[in-house]
Structure formats: C-alpha cells, structure tokens
C-alpha cells in the first residue's frame, strides 16, 4: 500500500467515476485502474462496486474511506507543522471569533501583533461565527485559535478580556434619555433575546435570574443585528454588547448599571495537540497582551491615557 494509492482511492471515491478522477489527478485512466486493483489486492477486499461508467463504495470501502481520510489528513498536518518548525517565522493562523468583537478587539489585537512582529510574514485566516460554531470548528481542526464566551471543557482556554453590556431602547422609549439603566427597570419590558445557539442568550438569562428580575422574552432572533432592527422599530428593548450596527439604527444605547455587567471573553485552543510555531506565537502574544482587556477600551494603561505602543 502506497500513499499514491490512498490518494487515488480518495479521489475516485469523491468523483464516482474513473474518467473524472483521472482528470483531477492528472494521470491516465489505466494507471488509476491499475493502482486501485493493486490496493484492493493488498487489502483483500473490494473497495468499489462497478456499474457502467460510475462506481460506488462497497461497505468495506466506506469503512476504509474514514480511516484513509484520517490518515492522509494527519500526514498533511504533520508536513505542515514540520515545515513551519523549519521556518518558524512563517505560517497562517486560522482565528475564529464571535461577531461583537469583530470591530474592536480583533482589529486592535492584530494591529498590535504586527507592531510587535514587524518583520513577521505570519498571516491570518479569519472566521466569524456563533460561539457554538466557533468551538465546533476549533475541535474539528478547522480553526487554530478561537475567541469565545462559553468555553468548552474539551479544549484549553484562558480568560483574556471583558465585554461590557448595554441596553438598547427605541428613541421614543421612556428610558431613551437616561445616562444609565438599572436591570430592575427592565422588569416587564418586552425583550428581544437571541437564539439559544448564541452565547449571549445564556448570559442574559443568567443575569435576570441571578438578580431576581423577570425576563419577558417577546422576540427571538439569530444575531445582534436583527435584534437591533426590532428595537429600532419600537417593538422591544435588548441587552447587547456594543456593535457597529448601533451607529446605523435609530436606537439609544445606554450603559447597564446595578449590576454593571461585563461578560468574560476567552481564548481557546485544542488540548494535547502540538501547535505550529505561528499559532504558538499568536497564542502567547494574546495571553501576554490581553490581560483583562476591556474590549471597547483596550488595556488598563490605555484607559489611563498612556500609550501602549
């Protein structure tokens, strides 16, 4: 059994016909047919059922496909990591995060990273998703690092920042001209809440429950932007982090006090897995730089008016 045979097997399983698979592999069709026959002879069982121009995996072939895919993915990952070990100043970091830190924490952090590593050719591949999707992508290996608000016990994580929460109300609302709002004042108010898959939903529910304030959930939406649209229409109020869309909607955004709530933001990475030099460098930079950041204002010394470089 050779690596070439395994790659040919995966290509044929995906294409479903020899002609198309051979074209994708840039080899002659007889060479592909010979390689698959030799692989089946080595294994001692058929991998495909032939029928006209098309082929389909046998039950044994379907089982073998899972392991062959896993083996080649592991090998490819090993090659990638080893190459980055040989060239530690290069590489790409797949970084995931949730929407409401996309306009403040992430740009500020990347800017500081490049300022501290001006000659580094490290690049980033960004992915923005719901908290639950981010963690699933991290565990599947599609992300190297992830910012999240509800960490998963299956991954390593460290708290790096805090995110303030605000009350968004329609401009004609009785509280629209207040400088601050107490949570108790929202008792009985029609609220827009986010879908349970969004980490903010659990945060808001716990906030009301812990302070014995009844939560009147009148609307449920998928994201913060759609929640703001309901608020702007005068239908309800919402508790949200500050997001760019607040500047575009006809809403008043007022700090929440009593309690003044800030939810934690975590950096997560896969447990017991070797990180590439590029990913390790970015992870360590975040852990050393983001020490209880306020996602809006940055580090404490920035908030005190001193430059942070």
């Amino acid at each position: 059994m050779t690596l070439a045979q395994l790659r040919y097997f995966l290509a044929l399983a995906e294409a479903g016909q020899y002609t198309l698979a051979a074209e994708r592999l840039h080899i002659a069709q007889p060479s592909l047919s010979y390689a698959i026959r030799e692989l089946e002879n080595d294994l001692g069982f058929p991998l495909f059922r032939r029928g006209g121009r098309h082929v389909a995996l046998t039950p044994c072939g379907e089982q073998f496909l899972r392991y062959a895919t896993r083996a080649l993915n592991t090998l490819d990952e090993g090659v990638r990591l080893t190459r980055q070990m040989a060239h530690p100043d290069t590489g790409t970091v797949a970084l995931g995060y949730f929407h409401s830190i996309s306009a403040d924490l992430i740009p500020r952090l990347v800017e500081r990273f490049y300022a501290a590593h001006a000659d580094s050719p490290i690049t980033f591949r960004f992915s923005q998703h719901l908290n639950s999707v981010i963690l699933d992508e991290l565990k599947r290996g599609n992300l190297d690092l992830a910012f999240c608000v509800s960490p998963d016990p299956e991954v390593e994580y460290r708290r790096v920042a805090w995110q303030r929460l605000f009350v968004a109300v329609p401009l004609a609302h009785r509280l629209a001209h207040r400088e601050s709002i107490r949570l108790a004042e929202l008792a009985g108010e029609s609220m827009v809440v986010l879908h349970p898959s969004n980490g903010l939903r659990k945060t808001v529910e716990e906030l009301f429950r812990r302070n014995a304030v009844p939560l009147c959930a009148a609307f449920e939406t998928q994201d913060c932007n759609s929640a703001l649209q309901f608020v702007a229409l005068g239908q309800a109020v919402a508790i949200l982090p500050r997001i760019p869309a607040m500047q575009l909607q006809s809403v008043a955004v007022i700090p929440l006090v009593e309690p003044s709530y800030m939810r934690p933001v975590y950096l997560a990475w896969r447990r017991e897995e070797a990180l590439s030099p590029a990913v390790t460098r970015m992870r360590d930079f975040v852990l050393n730089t983001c020490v209880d950041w306020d996602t809006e204002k940055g580090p404490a010394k920035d908030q005190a008016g001193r430059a942070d470089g």
Side-chain angles (χ1 to χ4, degrees), residues 18-61:
Y18 278 92
T19 302
L20 181 56
E23 290 177 355
R24 292 178 178 177
L25 292 167
H26 304 290
I27 63 173
Q29 182 174 329
S31 298
L32 175 60
S33 300
Y34 177 79
I36 296 300
R37 283 198 305 271
E38 288 298 299
L39 178 59
E40 290 178 325
N41 290 335
D42 287 344
L43 294 172
F45 52 79
L47 295 169
F48 295 97
R49 291 190 297 267
R50 279 78 173 175
R53 296 177 55 191
H54 296 276
V55 297
L57 288 167
T58 64
C60 290

Side-chain angles (χ1 to χ4, degrees), residues 84 87-94 110 113-114 117-126 144-145 276-283 285:
Q84 290 192 13
H87 306 282
D89 292 329
T90 64
T92 298
V93 178
V110 172
F113 177 82
Y114 281 128
H117 304 87
D119 299 326
S120 175
I122 291 174
T123 59
F124 291 90
R125 176 167 57 82
F126 297 113
D144 298 314
L145 300 171
S276 72
V279 174
T280 300
R281 176 173 290 192
M282 182 58 183
R283 182 200 62 182
F285 177 80

Side-chain angles (χ1 to χ4, degrees), residues 236-247:
V237 304
I239 293 181
L240 302 168
R242 192 182 295 279
I243 57 175
M246 288 175 171
Q247 301 176 11

Side-chain angles (χ1 to χ4, degrees), residues 183-210:
L183 187 67
E185 295 178 280
L186 300 180
E189 288 281 349
S190 294
M191 299 284 299
V192 186
V193 296
L194 301 187
H195 188 270
S197 61
N198 191 301
L200 186 61
R201 171 67 172 269
K202 181 179 179 181
T203 297
V204 171
E205 289 180 339
E206 289 182 349
L207 181 62
F208 275 79
R209 182 168 54 251
R210 189 165 57 245

Side-chain angles (χ1 to χ4, degrees), residues 162-271:
W162 296 93
Q163 186 179 49
R164 296 176 184 270
L165 295 183
F166 298 83
V167 183
V169 303
L171 292 179
H173 194 274
R174 62 183 177 85
L175 299 173
H177 300 291
R178 295 279 295 277
E179 293 185 359
S180 62
I181 294 177
R182 292 178 292 109
L183 187 67
E185 295 178 280
L186 300 180
E189 288 281 349
S190 294
M191 299 284 299
V192 186
V193 296
L194 301 187
H195 188 270
S197 61
N198 191 301
L200 186 61
R201 171 67 172 269
K202 181 179 179 181
T203 297
V204 171
E205 289 180 339
E206 289 182 349
L207 181 62
F208 275 79
R209 182 168 54 251
R210 189 165 57 245
N211 291 275
V213 177
L215 171 62
C216 180
F219 302 94
E220 180 180 281
T221 65
Q222 290 292 329
D223 53 57
C224 294
N225 287 339
S226 55
L228 274 181
Q229 292 175 353
F230 277 99
V231 175
L233 291 172
Q235 299 299 314
V237 304
I239 293 181
L240 302 168
R242 192 182 295 279
I243 57 175
M246 288 175 171
Q247 301 176 11
L248 306 176
Q249 297 286 354
S250 299
V251 299
V253 181
I254 304 165
L256 176 67
V257 299
E258 296 185 23
S260 177
Y261 189 83
M262 297 179 71
R263 65 172 177 168
V265 178
Y266 301 91
L267 179 70
W269 58 94
R270 288 185 296 281
R271 177 176 295 152

